[in-house]
Amino acid sequence: MAVNHNDFILNDGGLLPFVGLGTIGINGDQGTFEILNALNTGYRLIDTSTNYDNEGIVGEAVRRSALPREDILISTKLPGSYHEYDRAFIFIQESLRRMGLKYFDKYLIHWPNPKDGKYVEAWKALVDAQKQGLIRTIGVSNFEPEHLDNIIAETGVTPATNQVERHPYFNNNRMVEENKKRGVLTEAWSPFGRGYLNDVLQNATIKEIADQYDKTPAQIILNWNYQAGVLTIPKSSNPMHQKDNIDSTNFELASEDMKTIDSLDKGEAGRVEGQDPNEYHEYV
Ligand SMILES: NC(=O)c1ccc[n+]([C@@H]2O[C@H](COP(=O)([O-])OP(=O)(O)OC[C@H]3O[C@@H](n4cnc5c(N)ncnc54)[C@H](OP(=O)(O)O)[C@@H]3O)[C@@H](O)[C@H]2O)c1
């Protein structure tokens, strides 16, 4: 795959584009067309998960696309009920068969579920699945510093990415820094607060900045991430929004505007669904 100016280079030598397509709510046959439209618009990274009920249509879009398989990056996630080593290893194979793929470009542990204490086992399964060629890049999601340190200490393998909640009302700069210290790329989930879980896209300060640059609020938020070294995976079913989102790094935000957006943070109260990874456990 060619290196574009805005690719991120991973600690395993892999490359990821600055933006991928999030897929919560992209479902059914209509969803296949929405993913195909994104691929035709220039997206190369698709983020899915077993619990989004769309792994099948993501695989279908890969097969229907005119793009060669090696030009598309598919990323999915291990559910919390499959953290035991053997179950995780088999689940990865099952998920590949369900999607009709031979390998995953990226595979993440969806949530650490720390009270169950099995995420290290899950990580060992990902490490071995990578060795067997089932996965190219392995990473995690919603991991706190302690969880990162535990899997690294137990296996000597550092995840390439950590996908965490991040948007202007919960900027999670703490985890962006913790990831960076360990050489882990941060991926931001719900960069727009899912559109209805918060109103960042309508925020007056962001609108004002957007007007100054003649950009949309969405483009401002995505570039605020990119300039902070963070990959984003905005979900959009709308062709115009998909285009807006992928055209979001062809300008530079001044450092004072970056700081202004950082200042919109509301701390813990800003999380879209109160999902503190130390407390919240997800099983599907
Ligand atoms: N790892 C995890 O635990 C985790 C958790 C949550 C999410 N995720 C991932 O992160 C992805 C993104 O998060 P999300 O789905 O929660 O929501 P999001 O990306 O924050 O927001 C999606 C909403 O924003 C709207 N939108 C997108 N682009 C827009 C634009 N340019 N202008 C105006 N509105 C726009 C979309 O509507 P339209 O469709 O009409 O454009 C949709 O309503 C998910 O789909 C999923 O892949 C991961």
Side-chain angles (χ1 to χ4, degrees):
M1 181 174 283
V3 179
N4 295 312
H5 78 280
N6 48 13
D7 279 338
F8 288 116
I9 301 174
L10 304 175
N11 63 18
D12 64 4
L15 296 173
L16 290 175
F18 73 97
V19 70
L21 181 74
T23 63
I24 289 182
I26 294 185
N27 301 101
D29 291 340
Q30 173 61 27
T32 313
F33 290 111
E34 293 166 8
I35 296 164
L36 279 168
N37 188 73
L39 291 171
N40 290 337
T41 307
Y43 287 78
R44 292 296 175 262
L45 169 65
I46 311 291
D47 182 84
T48 179
S49 163
T50 307
N51 74 357
Y52 303 167
D53 290 329
N54 60 16
E55 283 184 321
I57 62 159
V58 171
E60 176 70 8
V62 172
R63 282 186 296 283
R64 281 209 221 165
S65 166
L67 291 166
R69 167 70 184 93
E70 60 273 19
D71 283 4
I72 306 174
L73 301 168
I74 298 299
S75 183
T76 189
K77 313 186 185 82
L78 181 75
S81 43
Y82 293 88
H83 279 193
E84 289 94 350
Y85 179 93
D86 290 342
R87 298 195 81 203
F89 202 82
I90 285 171
F91 189 85
I92 292 164
Q93 295 168 18
E94 170 59 21
S95 189
L96 277 172
R97 297 296 164 260
R98 190 181 310 146
M99 295 182 78
L101 301 177
K102 291 205 164 57
Y103 64 90
F104 289 122
D105 298 279
K106 183 154 68 67
Y107 198 88
L108 313 177
I109 300 176
H110 203 159
W111 287 86
N113 288 7
K115 289 175 186 163
D116 298 337
K118 292 184 184 149
Y119 60 84
V120 172
E121 268 193 63
W123 184 241
K124 287 179 179 168
L126 265 62
V127 170
D128 287 347
Q130 184 185 39
K131 282 185 191 146
Q132 293 207 8
L134 303 179
I135 307 172
R136 299 269 158 96
T137 281
I138 52 175
V140 295
S141 178
N142 300 302
F143 271 43
E144 289 289 303
E146 181 195 348
H147 312 139
L148 291 173
D149 290 340
N150 285 341
I151 59 171
I152 297 167
E154 291 280 341
T155 62
V157 182
T158 302
T161 70
N162 186 10
Q163 187 177 111
V164 298
E165 177 173 356
R166 173 174 152 91
H167 42 76
Y169 293 162
F170 184 72
N171 65 39
N172 219 343
N173 280 341
R174 173 185 67 89
M175 276 315 303
V176 175
E177 280 313 307
E178 293 288 353
N179 288 333
K180 206 176 283 174
K181 266 197 251 166
R182 293 164 178 81
V184 177
L185 176 72
T186 302
E187 299 182 53
W189 61 253
S190 293
F192 308 143
R194 206 160 293 169
Y196 58 88
L197 291 175
N198 72 28
D199 64 352
V200 282
L201 287 173
Q202 286 80 44
N203 179 276
T205 305
I206 294 178
K207 272 190 170 169
E208 213 172 281
I209 296 174
D211 288 346
Q212 276 167 34
Y213 288 85
D214 198 18
K215 298 288 172 189
T216 66
Q219 290 173 320
I220 296 296
I221 292 171
L222 297 178
N223 205 14
W224 164 72
N225 277 286
Y226 176 58
Q227 289 186 208
V230 174
L231 184 158
T232 49
I233 44 167
K235 175 268 169 181
S236 180
S237 300
N238 176 322
M240 280 166 60
H241 291 166
Q242 289 183 351
K243 177 101 179 73
D244 241 27
N245 296 346
I246 205 162
D247 286 341
S248 57
T249 57
N250 50 5
F251 66 102
E252 189 166 346
L253 280 169
S255 61
E256 58 269 29
D257 294 322
M258 292 288 289
K259 285 185 198 140
T260 301
I261 300 169
D262 278 335
S263 74
L264 298 175
D265 184 65
K266 299 178 181 180
E268 284 298 310
R271 287 188 191 271
V272 286
E273 291 186 289
Q275 292 169 316
D276 174 349
N278 280 313
E279 298 301 326
Y280 179 77
H281 283 49
E282 182 147 317
Y283 292 97
V284 285

